[in-house]
Amino acid sequence: MQITSAAEIQNNQATYLIYGPPGMGKTSSIKFFPGKTLVLDVDRTTKVLKGQPDIDIAYVSNTNTWEEWGKIILDLDKNYRNKYDNIVVDNISELERCLLSDLGSKGKNKGVPSQGDYQYMQFRVVNSLRYLKNLGANLIWTAWETDDLYTDSSGQQYNRSYPQINKKILNNVLGLCDVVGRILVNTDGERGFVLSASNSTYAKNQLDDRKGCLQNELIQKN
């Protein structure tokens, strides 16, 4: 074993997942990330970043997604390690659908993904997250929001909001993130993130003691 004292840890990079309904401001939040940012655009919503000098955008194919996504991961490792302060995948909900659609189109079920295709997608998404965490940058995944009826241990029911990610890998993906934030708009029109979990919202913050933050405060400068 290679043992390191916690007092000697120097790596400040973290993994974030931010989620909310379409149009709530997830992609716009990228404008506020400190340093140089690379956005892997899956859902084609990066027009809101037009004119930002410290943001580069790479468009991920939404038809030949399975093969191209694998090449992108390898290219990042080979040619772009430690070249960006932030790497953003925008967004994971659409990435899952594109991977499944591509696999289904190559199958024998008239474009409908098979059960095996779902398993392939699940492993690729989780493995991609693990891989991207090692590129020397903050990793930020965006996701759309979904909800369900949640019953706690006492039998009380709540409408619960959480990221729209395949339920088979939901806990795995969220467990690999340091911060999970739900974007909301307050009565004054300010956008911000909920960083503290409740019965109605999935959120967490393992970096500091903040329970919420404004949109421009999510990633703090070192």
Side-chain angles (χ1 to χ4, degrees), residues 11-17 133 171-181 194-197 202-212 218 220:
N11 188 353
N12 294 317
Q13 280 80 40
T15 303
Y16 300 76
L17 191 150
K133 282 168 67 76
N171 286 334
N172 201 338
V173 170
L174 300 184
L176 289 170
C177 296
D178 303 297
V179 175
V180 177
V194 176
L195 303 178
S196 180
Y202 190 102
K204 73 173 184 178
N205 179 10
Q206 296 179 326
L207 298 180
D208 50 55
D209 58 1
R210 294 179 299 164
K211 296 183 179 180
L218 179 66
Q220 298 183 316

Side-chain angles (χ1 to χ4, degrees), residues 48-175:
V48 298
L49 303 175
K50 182 178 179 180
Q52 298 296 314
D54 291 326
I55 298 176
D56 294 337
I57 299 168
Y59 295 97
V60 181
S61 172
N62 48 25
T63 54
N64 189 34
T65 315
W66 182 266
E67 181 178 354
E68 182 169 310
W69 182 250
K71 290 180 178 178
I72 286 173
I73 298 295
L74 294 176
D75 191 25
L76 285 170
D77 182 40
K78 182 178 180 180
N79 298 312
Y80 297 96
R81 182 179 289 272
N82 298 311
K83 290 190 176 181
Y84 287 95
D85 299 291
N86 314 293
I87 296 175
V88 182
V89 178
D90 189 28
N91 71 55
I92 185 176
S93 307
E94 177 67 358
L95 177 62
E96 285 189 345
R97 302 311 300 175
C98 289
L99 289 169
L100 283 173
S101 179
D102 187 16
L103 288 171
S105 70
K106 295 176 171 64
K108 301 178 180 180
N109 199 24
K110 298 181 179 179
V112 178
S114 66
Q115 185 62 40
D117 291 337
Y118 278 88
Q119 294 175 337
Y120 295 145
M121 179 275 292
Q122 292 159 10
F123 276 97
R124 171 144 289 192
V125 168
V126 175
N127 288 337
S128 297
L129 176 54
R130 293 191 183 108
Y131 209 90
L132 291 170
K133 282 168 67 76
N134 295 308
L135 294 181
N138 292 313
L139 176 62
I140 304 95
W141 295 60
T142 71
W144 289 319
E145 180 179 312
T146 190
D147 57 66
D148 63 9
L149 192 61
Y150 169 70
T151 304
D152 67 14
S153 57
S154 68
Q156 190 168 357
Q157 292 186 322
Y158 303 89
N159 285 320
R160 179 181 61 171
S161 298
Y162 57 93
Q164 184 180 311
I165 299 172
N166 184 278
K167 285 191 174 182
K168 295 284 188 181
I169 58 172
L170 179 64
N171 286 334
N172 201 338
V173 170
L174 300 184

Side-chain angles (χ1 to χ4, degrees), residues 17-33:
L17 191 150
I18 57 177
Y19 72 98
M24 188 62 74
K26 298 181 297 299
T27 305
S28 297
S29 299
I30 299 170
K31 297 176 184 179
F32 303 108
F33 296 166

